[in-house]
Amino acid sequence: MQAEVLIPHNSAYRKIINYFKSIHFINVFVKKINACRKVEINCILSGASLKKSDNVLDIGSGDGYWTNYFSKKCGTIVGIEPYQEHLRIAQNKYTGIKFVAESAEALSFKSESFDKVISVCVFEHLYNDVTAFEEMYRVLKPGGILAATVDSLNSKYISDDYKKKHIQDCYCAQLYDVDGIIMKLEKTGFKNVQANYIIGSRFGILYEKLSEKFGIFAYLTLLPLYPVILFLESNFKQSGYKIFVTAEK
């Protein structure tokens, strides 16, 4: 089965990003000082409850950094990534982890292969997210857990114009609200679906906006406020930049 996926165009800007991602110490440094991403990772760790006996699938593993991070919490992990430039970085750096070139809508793994499926802000990039959810459900073992973060931008602090620009610049096929993603996952067959907004404080959203616009320069400027972000975003919100969702097969 072939699936169309949203792949970033290799513009001059994208090539510069990929160049710095390929420099390991810079890539790691940027990951470590991104406060809002750390909020997401903490949510996934809590929701997935990774154990050393778990076989885990990471949907949209990117350059492999977070897949490698999660690998230390579980037994085995496989990352899938359709974007060749990022896949190449992951395969070159994290040689002890299996990274596969494929899309979430057409997983090659046998049914009931994984204890947990995790994903860090990927579902918004899927052309056919329902098909992808069906595939995730298929490869999960009975009682297996899906834990993921997705883009929402559902907040009074975010304008419609900003949403449109975000969708274009970040190659999004859709954005989610809590009710919408719950409905889609339940329709797929998942049960005990829980979805909550995260990164919803005025300051947290400003941090995301500045990060999207200025990248590492924003992270460096706001570095002294890293613990403040973690504190402000330690609880679920009524609205937010992202959604954290868990579901059970």
Side-chain angles (χ1 to χ4, degrees), residues 55 57 107 110-118 133-147 190 247-249:
N55 186 25
L57 176 63
L107 298 176
K110 293 180 180 179
S111 298
E112 301 182 5
S113 298
F114 297 96
D115 301 288
K116 310 284 172 61
V117 172
I118 59 175
F133 296 156
E134 291 171 347
E135 281 289 271
M136 294 175 213
Y137 185 88
R138 179 183 65 79
V139 301
L140 270 172
K141 297 176 182 179
I145 294 173
L146 167 67
F190 283 100
E248 182 182 344
K249 179 172 179 178

Side-chain angles (χ1 to χ4, degrees), residues 3-241:
E4 188 179 15
V5 295
L6 280 168
I7 302 295
H9 301 299
N10 279 328
S11 61
Y13 174 70
R14 182 62 56 178
K15 289 177 180 178
I16 291 171
I17 291 176
N18 289 337
Y19 171 75
F20 284 108
K21 278 181 176 290
S22 68
I23 302 174
H24 185 63
F25 79 91
I26 294 179
N27 191 32
V28 169
F29 179 67
V30 172
K31 294 287 197 301
K32 285 183 176 294
I33 63 174
N34 185 341
C36 284
R37 184 66 89 201
K38 182 60 175 176
V39 172
E40 293 183 69
I41 298 304
N42 287 345
C43 285
I44 290 175
L45 285 176
S46 175
S49 299
L50 298 178
K51 299 180 295 187
K52 287 297 184 180
S53 58
D54 285 338
N55 186 25
V56 179
L57 176 63
D58 184 10
I59 302 289
S61 49
D63 58 40
Y65 176 82
W66 291 115
T67 313
N68 180 63
Y69 178 86
F70 289 125
S71 74
K72 296 174 173 56
K73 315 289 183 181
C74 62
T76 57
I77 191 167
V78 177
I80 68 158
E81 174 58 48
Y83 185 32
Q84 289 294 328
E85 283 74 8
H86 287 177
L87 181 69
R88 192 175 301 113
I89 293 170
Q91 291 174 331
N92 288 339
K93 183 59 190 177
Y94 305 107
T95 55
I97 298 174
K98 183 178 180 180
F99 293 99
V100 182
E102 60 184 70
S103 69
E105 296 97 330
L107 298 176
S108 62
F109 309 102
K110 293 180 180 179
S111 298
E112 301 182 5
S113 298
F114 297 96
D115 301 288
K116 310 284 172 61
V117 172
I118 59 175
S119 183
V120 184
C121 268
V122 171
F123 298 169
E124 62 270 16
H125 303 297
L126 302 174
Y127 275 122
N128 195 333
D129 56 350
V130 172
T131 298
F133 296 156
E134 291 171 347
E135 281 289 271
M136 294 175 213
Y137 185 88
R138 179 183 65 79
V139 301
L140 270 172
K141 297 176 182 179
I145 294 173
L146 167 67
T149 57
V150 300
D151 278 3
S152 175
L153 278 68
N154 184 1
S155 170
K156 63 182 179 181
Y157 304 128
I158 302 174
S159 68
D160 288 340
D161 286 342
Y162 182 87
K163 290 181 184 179
K164 291 177 183 177
K165 189 175 187 306
H166 176 88
I167 289 171
Q168 179 179 347
D169 292 349
C170 297
Y171 304 92
C172 297
Q174 65 269 310
L175 299 174
Y176 294 94
D177 60 28
V178 160
D179 292 337
I181 195 165
I182 289 176
M183 180 183 68
K184 286 186 175 184
L185 288 171
E186 287 181 340
K187 184 178 179 180
T188 302
F190 283 100
K191 59 185 180 181
N192 298 328
V193 182
Q194 301 289 326
N196 294 278
Y197 291 107
I198 59 173
I199 310 175
S201 69
R202 184 191 293 268
F203 190 76
I205 288 175
L206 176 62
Y207 184 99
E208 285 281 18
K209 287 181 175 179
L210 292 174
S211 299
E212 193 167 309
K213 188 172 183 179
F214 299 110
I216 187 173
F217 301 106
Y219 302 146
L220 289 170
T221 302
L222 298 172
L223 186 57
L225 298 176
Y226 185 100
V228 176
I229 289 287
L230 296 186
F231 174 76
L232 290 175
E233 303 301 336
S234 59
N235 297 314
F236 295 139
K237 310 297 182 182
Q238 295 300 310
S239 62
Y241 204 93

